[in-house]
Amino acid sequence: MKEKQNPITEDGWGELSRLTAARIALGRAGSSLPCRETLRFALAHAQARDAVHTPLDAAALAGELTADGHRAIDIRSAAGSRAEYLQRPDLGRRLDEASRARLLAETGKGCDLLILIADGLSSRAPALHAAPLLRELMPRLREMGLRVGPLLIAREARVALGDEAGEIMGAKMTAMLIGERPGLSSPDSLGLYLTAAPRAGRSDAERNCISNVRPNGLPYPLAAFKLAWLIDAALRQPTGVALKDGSAADPRWAALAARQASLVRN
């Protein structure tokens, strides 16, 4: 009896595909992708679309942050809906009137650092990663003796929304934790943007960014260390293109990275 031939031509890099979420070693069926890979692509595309269009559950996030001992304030941009937010990026960079009034009522106190948690282009990212990241970050900020303002949960927000909020709140710098544009293997990636002396009109060249914060990307302990290192450096010089990330040269980074690698292996 003739042995049935496998219609799928497997890729020689198949062994490497176990080590990455990247779309490699897909194989082929004739001149097309195998059915399994076509279905995986459709699922990844649907997950990316859901990440963009699903509203952030601000109440659930506030509850988690409150349980960790934080005070959270709910704000939103001038975009009146998710659809308008996606079509009008400029509105996502400005506070709406109610949020501006809410923050103005908090003025007079000032702070060294104002942390905003924003939906951005992936509501999944802050919902999943903001609270565990802050559990790693806050002890470092306390060791540095920084005055941290109330946490702001920002909906329909772009990065620059933190400039206006930080200016109103009298913050020396802002850290924006925001959902990044989802990829086909990363619908839940969180980005961190640090801006010194925030005020409306700041450019992206005046910020420092840490990208891909999530367990399958840059793990929480390493992301918190890197952000704390940049915050400490920003106390002495402006953020932006002139501030280079030297956290990996710190001896503590190597020890932390080794510990994380050990956890992954085990």
Side-chain angles (χ1 to χ4, degrees), residues 127-151:
L128 291 173
H129 308 314
L133 173 64
L134 289 172
R135 291 177 196 130
E136 296 286 343
L137 177 64
M138 297 307 285
R140 295 186 179 278
L141 300 181
R142 285 193 288 269
E143 287 178 7
M144 295 164 64
L146 296 181
R147 295 175 301 137
V148 181
L151 301 180

Side-chain angles (χ1 to χ4, degrees), residues 37-125:
E37 297 301 336
T38 302
L39 293 175
R40 285 180 59 209
F41 180 88
L43 173 61
H45 188 257
Q47 290 173 330
R49 287 178 60 87
D50 285 348
V52 171
H53 291 283
T54 301
L56 174 65
D57 189 341
L61 179 56
E64 188 175 9
L65 297 173
T66 300
D68 284 348
H70 303 296
R71 178 176 171 235
I73 299 175
D74 186 20
I75 62 173
R76 64 177 304 130
S77 76
S81 66
R82 193 67 181 166
E84 186 174 41
Y85 165 78
L86 294 172
Q87 296 167 9
R88 292 283 306 275
D90 58 312
L91 296 181
R93 301 183 183 110
R94 305 199 314 261
L95 293 165
D96 71 358
E97 290 302 326
S99 299
R100 188 175 294 108
R102 194 170 300 130
L103 296 185
L104 283 169
E106 297 281 335
T107 58
K109 302 173 185 177
C111 59
D112 295 316
L113 177 69
L114 182 67
I115 298 176
L116 299 95
I117 304 167
D119 47 11
L121 291 173
S122 172
S123 61
R124 286 184 60 181

Side-chain angles (χ1 to χ4, degrees), residues 221-239:
L222 294 179
F225 182 91
K226 192 176 286 285
L227 180 56
W229 190 96
L230 286 169
I231 290 170
D232 181 63
L235 294 173
R236 296 178 293 278
Q237 70 173 95
T239 52

Side-chain angles (χ1 to χ4, degrees), residues 124-126 128-130 132-134 176-180 186-193 209-224 226-227:
R124 286 184 60 181
L128 291 173
H129 308 314
L133 173 64
L134 289 172
M176 172 75 85
L177 285 50
I178 189 168
E180 296 182 316
S186 56
D188 62 337
S189 181
L190 190 71
L192 316 179
Y193 290 82
C209 175
I210 301 169
S211 187
N212 198 30
V213 177
R214 58 194 183 103
N216 290 329
L218 184 65
Y220 308 134
L222 294 179
K226 192 176 286 285
L227 180 56

